[in-house]
């Protein structure tokens, strides 16, 4: 960020059903990032396209109610448009993505690296007759009743900092060490359960693979120790398939106090190793 620009934070939500994920792609397919950047560029009449940095890149079909991004805007443009930008964006964006707050951010704010944690929820319906049609885009149908207590016993064994290679799609040069802060299930409706998954960061497909392993415990196919055994093996298990994306939603991104933003971003950039 230069002296002539101001860093702006955007809080947004989207229904991921008809998006090919968050990240802009060369193929020209519809993405959340591309849609919001195009709207910003048009509304502000920017000479150069807006470029967003996001807290968590969601996959195709994944939803968000608490996504966070930042963009650096020319300071003069921000001053002129600040008061009306949220309203004007609401008229430009399609109905499946909403920016619900825009604010000037501290210089050290980085939507991705300054985040302390991301919290996701995965929703599963376990009624024999399926998921209510009005909820089908946001809830996975699992045709066997799930034992929440058994899944929570299994989940407790995986909390803390581990190498989650067995639950991630590996990327060259990227670490798979993550700190899992919270993983628990609760029955929110008679025919529906929710998994809350919070970590300092996630690698690709991690949440959906963890949910898949825990469902195998919940329906009685595997003992409570099974997911932790897969974790310690550091290898993908052929029986653990990644669950579909539509049950997953990014609910919240947490950040430290303003005076701690720079230190947190520096820490997040370091390459992790296990003690």
């Amino acid at each position: 960020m230069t002296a002539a620009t101001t860093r702006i934070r955007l809080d947004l939500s989207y229904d991921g059903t008809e998006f090919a994920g968050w990240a802009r792609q060369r193929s020209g397919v519809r993405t959340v990032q591309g849609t919001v950047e195009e709207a910003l560029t048009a509304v502000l009449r920017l000479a150069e396209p807006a470029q967003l940095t996001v807290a968590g890149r969601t996959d195709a079909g994944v939803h968000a109610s608490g996504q966070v991004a930042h963009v650096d805007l020319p300071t003069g443009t921000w001053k002129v448009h600040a008061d009306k930008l949220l309203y004007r964006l609401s008229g430009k964006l399609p109905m499946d993505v909403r920016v619900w707050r825009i604010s000037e951010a501290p210089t050290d704010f980085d939507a991705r690296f300054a985040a302390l944690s991301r919290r996701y929820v995965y929703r599963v319906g376990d009624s024999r007759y399926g998921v209510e049609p009005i909820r089908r885009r946001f809830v996975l149908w699992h045709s066997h009743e799930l034992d929440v207590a058994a899944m929570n016993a299994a989940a407790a064994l995986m909390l803390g900092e581990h190498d989650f290679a067995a639950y991630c799609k590996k990327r060259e040069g990227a670490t798979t060490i993550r700190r899992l802060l919270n993983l628990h299930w609760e029955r929110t409706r008679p025919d529906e359960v929710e998994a809350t998954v919070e970590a300092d960061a996630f690698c690709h497909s991690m949440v959906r693979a963890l949910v898949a392993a825990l469902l195998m415990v919940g329906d009685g196919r595997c003992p409570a120790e099974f997911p932790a055994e897969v974790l310690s093996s550091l290898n993908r298990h052929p029986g653990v398939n990644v669950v579909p994306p539509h049950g997953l939603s990014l609910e919240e991104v947490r950040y430290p106090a303003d005076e701690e933003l720079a230190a947190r971003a520096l820490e997040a950039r370091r390459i992790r190793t296990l003690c």
Side-chain angles (χ1 to χ4, degrees):
M1 185 170 65
T2 68
T5 62
T6 299
R7 181 149 294 182
I8 305 303
R9 169 174 169 164
L10 290 81
D11 292 80
L12 61 155
S13 305
Y14 46 87
D15 174 347
T17 306
E18 297 179 10
F19 287 106
W22 165 268
R24 187 195 321 107
Q25 300 180 31
R26 293 181 180 179
S27 60
V29 297
R30 188 171 186 258
T31 66
V32 182
Q33 181 181 10
T35 300
V36 177
E37 287 179 346
E38 289 171 11
L40 275 171
T41 302
V43 165
L44 297 174
R45 298 180 181 179
L46 297 175
E48 299 291 334
Q51 295 187 11
L52 291 170
T53 297
V54 74
R57 287 184 164 192
T58 51
D59 292 335
V62 176
H63 317 290
S65 61
Q67 182 68 279
V68 179
H70 79 252
V71 62
D72 294 332
L73 297 177
T75 299
T77 300
W78 168 245
K79 289 181 178 179
V80 170
H81 295 277
D83 293 340
K84 296 181 178 180
L85 181 55
L86 189 62
Y87 174 75
R88 294 183 65 193
L89 268 181
S90 69
K92 189 70 174 176
L93 288 168
M95 295 304 293
D96 53 359
V97 56
R98 296 284 94 185
V99 175
W100 46 271
R101 183 168 63 191
I102 299 176
S103 55
E104 187 171 329
T107 303
D108 292 325
F109 179 79
D110 186 298
R112 178 185 176 189
F113 289 108
L116 289 172
S117 69
R118 290 92 171 155
R119 178 172 60 85
Y120 284 86
V121 166
Y122 196 97
R123 297 177 172 89
V124 183
D126 62 349
S127 168
R128 289 185 178 181
Y129 62 76
V131 174
E132 292 181 28
I134 198 171
R135 298 175 62 76
R136 73 191 188 281
R137 291 158 73 115
F138 311 102
V139 181
L140 173 72
W141 179 37
H142 192 80
S143 58
H144 299 279
E145 186 175 353
L146 295 165
D147 184 336
V148 171
M151 292 191 292
N152 280 331
L157 300 176
M158 294 192 287
L159 295 176
E161 188 170 64
H162 306 283
D163 188 336
F164 283 90
Y167 289 99
C168 297
K169 289 185 179 179
K170 295 182 180 179
R171 290 192 302 125
E172 189 68 30
T175 181
T176 49
I177 297 172
R178 298 290 187 267
R179 182 177 295 111
L180 190 58
L181 303 169
N182 187 10
L183 176 57
H184 77 272
W185 292 81
E186 62 180 321
R187 186 166 292 279
T188 54
R189 296 158 58 106
D191 59 351
E192 191 173 308
V193 297
E194 285 186 2
T196 296
V197 191
E198 183 177 4
D200 55 354
F202 290 93
C203 42
H204 190 216
S205 81
M206 178 175 160
V207 177
R208 290 159 59 196
L210 287 170
V211 168
L214 292 168
L215 290 180
M216 296 172 72
V217 174
D219 63 18
R221 283 177 288 168
C222 295
E225 296 78 16
F226 171 72
E229 291 171 355
V230 172
L231 175 66
S232 62
S233 75
L234 301 181
N235 293 307
R236 296 297 291 265
H237 190 283
V240 179
N241 297 313
V242 175
V243 290
H246 68 278
L248 185 60
S249 177
L250 174 59
E251 303 283 297
E252 181 186 21
V253 183
R254 293 196 307 113
Y255 294 93
D258 290 354
E259 62 271 17
E260 299 171 3
L261 288 168
R264 172 57 190 161
L266 184 63
E267 180 185 1
R269 284 183 168 91
R270 69 178 175 85
I271 299 177
R272 298 194 224 189
T273 58
L274 288 175
C275 296

